[in-house]
Amino acid sequence: MALAEVRIAYRDSGMGAVSDVPVMLVHGMGGDGRTWDRFARQLVRSGRRVIIPDLRGHGRSSHTDSYLFDDFGADLCQLCDHLELTVVDLVGHSLGGYAVSRVAQDRPQLVRRLVVEECPLPLQSGAEELHSIRRFPTVPELWHATTSLVRHPGVVLAFDRSMTRVALEQFRKPNPEWWDRLSDITAPTLVLRGGSGGMVDPVKLAVVQAAIPDCAVLDFTCGHSIHRDRYREFAAAVRPFLAG
C-alpha cells in the first residue's frame, strides 16, 4: 500500500470467524512484523482478524526522508483508512507503542482497546531534559529488544540506519503535546512495563496512568521485550484484555 509515496507493507489474516474487531500488532524500532508471529497465530486461532504492518524504514516497507515519530502514527491511521476499518484493537511495542498511542489520540472513535508495551516515554519539558537521571534508550538496546539476529538476520539489513540519528534526537526533545493529549484517549488502555530492566520511567508512567481515563498498568521483570522474553505472561495478560 502506498501512503503519500511511502510503501507500507502489511500482512492481513483475513476476517476472523468469531470477532468482527481486528487486531493490529505494531513492532518496535529496528524490528519488523515477524516479532508478532507467535502471538498472531494464537489470536487467529481464537477467531481474530490480525493485521501486522512493517513501519516505514523497516522490513518490506519503504525507506523515506522523514522519520518523525508522529509519521509512524499517521501511517497507521492511513492504513486503517485503506482497509476501511471502523474499529480496531491496537497493540504496539516500543516505538510501535508510541505510534498506536498517537492513533488513539487522533482517532479515539476508531480504537476499541489499546495495549502499549514498553514505550519509552517522551520528555515533558526542557527542565526535565536538564535534570532527568533516567537513561535514554540507545539504538543497540532497541535493536536487541525488537529483533533476533539468529532467526531473522534480514531484519537489520532492511532497517534504514539513517533513522537512528533522528530517533535519538527525538527521544531527547520534550514532547508536551503528547502529554497534553493523553486525556483524548478514550479506549480502555493496558500499559506493560518491563521492570527495572526496561525503558519506562515509573514516575512518568504514573502520570500517564492518571491522565488516560481508563488505564491499567502491569509490571513484568524481564526488560524491554516482554512479548518475546515473557511470552506466556504477556499472552495471559493481553489476550483476555483484547477479548473484553
Side-chain angles (χ1 to χ4, degrees):
M1 179 195 63
L3 304 175
E5 300 182 356
V6 178
R7 179 178 179 272
I8 299 297
Y10 66 93
R11 290 179 287 155
D12 188 345
S13 70
M15 299 304 295
V18 177
S19 174
D20 58 358
V21 179
V23 183
M24 184 175 290
L25 306 175
V26 186
H27 65 85
M29 182 175 166
D32 68 13
R34 286 177 291 186
T35 189
W36 294 112
D37 283 355
R38 185 178 182 185
F39 189 50
R41 286 193 296 269
Q42 195 171 17
L43 290 174
V44 170
R45 284 196 298 267
S46 71
R48 301 298 295 268
R49 176 186 179 186
V50 178
I51 301 160
I52 309 176
D54 289 341
L55 294 172
R56 60 170 62 196
H58 298 78
R60 295 173 296 121
S61 292
S62 294
H63 293 192
T64 77
D65 294 330
S66 178
Y67 291 111
L68 297 178
F69 285 167
D70 287 350
D71 291 340
F72 298 101
D75 288 345
L76 297 182
C77 285
Q78 291 187 64
L79 177 57
C80 289
D81 292 342
H82 172 76
L83 296 172
E84 300 182 341
L85 303 182
T86 58
V87 63
V88 66
D89 289 344
L90 295 176
V91 180
H93 174 231
S94 194
L95 173 59
Y98 180 87
V100 298
S101 75
R102 292 295 286 118
V103 177
Q105 290 174 344
D106 290 340
R107 303 273 193 90
Q109 75 284 355
L110 174 67
V111 183
R112 189 189 72 107
R113 296 260 164 171
L114 178 68
V115 179
V116 178
E117 176 195 352
E118 266 291 308
C119 173
L121 300 175
L123 293 171
Q124 295 172 277
S125 68
E128 180 189 1
E129 184 175 12
L130 293 175
H131 298 101
S132 175
I133 61 172
R134 178 70 179 101
R135 178 174 57 86
F136 291 103
T138 65
V139 171
E141 285 175 322
L142 292 171
W143 279 358
H144 172 73
T146 56
T147 67
S148 171
L149 297 180
V150 175
R151 293 182 181 179
H152 303 299
V155 170
V156 171
L157 295 177
F159 176 62
D160 187 351
R161 288 169 175 77
S162 71
M163 188 187 311
T164 57
R165 177 185 55 81
V166 178
L168 292 178
E169 286 175 355
Q170 290 176 90
F171 276 124
R172 294 184 172 95
K173 288 182 178 179
N175 190 348
E177 180 187 1
W178 183 83
W179 290 94
D180 291 343
R181 297 193 61 196
L182 286 174
S183 60
D184 293 339
I185 297 174
T186 59
T189 300
L190 179 63
V191 180
L192 308 180
R193 176 176 176 264
S196 59
M199 297 181 186
V200 180
D201 185 327
V203 175
K204 288 196 286 188
L205 180 55
V207 178
V208 170
Q209 186 174 14
I212 298 176
D214 184 354
C215 182
V217 172
L218 283 180
D219 285 304
F220 295 78
T221 58
C222 57
H224 188 55
S225 189
I226 302 167
H227 72 276
R228 184 192 66 188
D229 298 333
R230 292 290 187 274
Y231 175 76
R232 291 183 180 179
E233 297 171 42
F234 171 88
V238 175
R239 278 193 62 201
F241 178 77
L242 294 177

